[in-house]
Amino acid sequence: MKPTLRKRMNKKWSTHGAPNLQWLGMAELCLFLDAFWAEEGFVDRRALEIGSHMGEGLSMLAASGIFSKIDVIEPFAGEEPFNKEFDWDWSEVRLEWQRNTKWFDDMITLHRGYSYDLHENFKDRVYDFIYIDADHSYEGVSRDIEQYLPKIKQNGIIAGHDWHEVWPGVQKAVREQLGEPDWVFKDDSWIKVVDARIRPELKTN
């Protein structure tokens, strides 16, 4: 059976017998989000995922019950090293995405395309949480942060995947635009709370 990104982690990403940090890290992130908003109780929270691939992390975010609506940007096209290395084609990836998200059709909305083409379709100050896991180049991550940061509410969270030396462009872009992450989880997901330090227009008197 072919490996996946999170549910069936390939052995190249870990030593034999080690726990699946890709799954555990996303679970850790969900637990953090639940604790972060615990005092507010359940409210109508919205999330946006940029880059979904098979939808494994997306299904965990949806199953957590933290969000009432999740918008997803995914082209199911383009260069993807994982597909090439582990013999997945985009038609198979799309089918796997549908399997992973089928329980959440009422809350997940797919916007098929590239984030840089679609950013004007999303309103500012709408989202409580945005997760970036698309183009991992410095230019790609920088562009996604720049274009989608205004979409986040005050005290919302911007986050992403692969805070790792293997992806120096991710680290450089995040540091330049947001500063050091507030937390990094076991799967190399990073988060930054969005407040007046990052967006001065959110400052209140």
Side-chain angles (χ1 to χ4, degrees):
M1 183 174 289
K2 293 188 288 189
T4 70
L5 286 164
R6 291 191 187 271
K7 288 184 176 179
R8 188 178 178 89
M9 187 177 68
N10 70 87
K11 294 179 180 180
K12 292 182 179 180
W13 292 357
S14 182
T15 57
H16 181 68
N20 183 349
L21 298 183
Q22 293 300 314
W23 191 94
L24 290 172
M26 180 55 73
E28 186 181 37
L29 172 57
C30 290
L31 288 171
F32 174 89
L33 295 175
D34 178 61
F36 182 80
W37 286 308
E39 292 185 3
E40 299 177 21
F42 179 79
V43 297
D44 183 21
R45 292 196 184 87
R46 296 184 62 177
L48 171 64
E49 182 182 55
I50 302 172
S52 187
H53 202 251
M54 297 179 187
E56 294 173 305
L58 170 62
S59 68
M60 295 176 72
L61 287 173
S64 72
I66 296 170
F67 304 103
S68 57
K69 181 174 176 56
I70 304 177
D71 288 302
V72 180
I73 299 173
E74 172 58 59
F76 297 110
E79 292 295 324
E80 172 52 63
F82 183 91
N83 291 5
K84 184 176 181 179
E85 184 173 359
F86 297 106
D87 193 30
W88 286 87
D89 63 43
W90 280 115
S91 62
E92 292 176 307
V93 170
R94 176 63 192 273
L95 287 174
E96 194 67 19
W97 188 92
Q98 292 173 329
R99 293 187 189 102
N100 285 321
T101 62
K102 68 178 182 178
W103 304 108
F104 310 105
D105 286 343
D106 59 332
M107 63 183 297
I108 293 175
T109 301
L110 174 64
H111 306 264
R112 188 163 182 177
Y114 292 98
S115 58
Y116 51 81
D117 289 328
L118 300 178
H119 68 99
E120 293 183 352
N121 296 346
F122 299 90
K123 295 180 180 179
D124 290 352
R125 303 193 187 193
V126 167
Y127 295 97
D128 300 275
F129 179 73
I130 292 181
Y131 190 82
I132 299 172
D133 193 13
D135 181 350
H136 283 41
S137 69
Y138 167 74
E139 294 78 12
V141 178
S142 296
R143 181 178 55 225
D144 281 339
I145 293 174
E146 180 180 353
Q147 292 180 339
Y148 287 89
L149 186 60
K151 317 298 182 185
I152 302 178
K153 299 176 183 176
Q154 182 176 8
N155 292 324
I157 290 175
I158 189 167
H161 198 208
D162 292 315
W163 182 268
H164 193 281
E165 61 187 12
V166 174
W167 300 105
V170 173
Q171 295 185 334
K172 182 180 179 183
V174 172
R175 285 190 172 114
E176 285 186 1
Q177 297 208 42
L178 305 171
E180 291 293 321
D182 291 326
W183 287 269
V184 176
F185 300 98
K186 291 178 180 178
D187 65 333
D188 298 318
S189 286
W190 57 270
I191 66 169
K192 190 76 175 181
V193 178
V194 177
D195 57 21
R197 294 172 300 168
I198 298 171
R199 287 178 55 196
E201 74 273 18
L202 294 175
K203 186 176 181 180
T204 55
N205 297 324

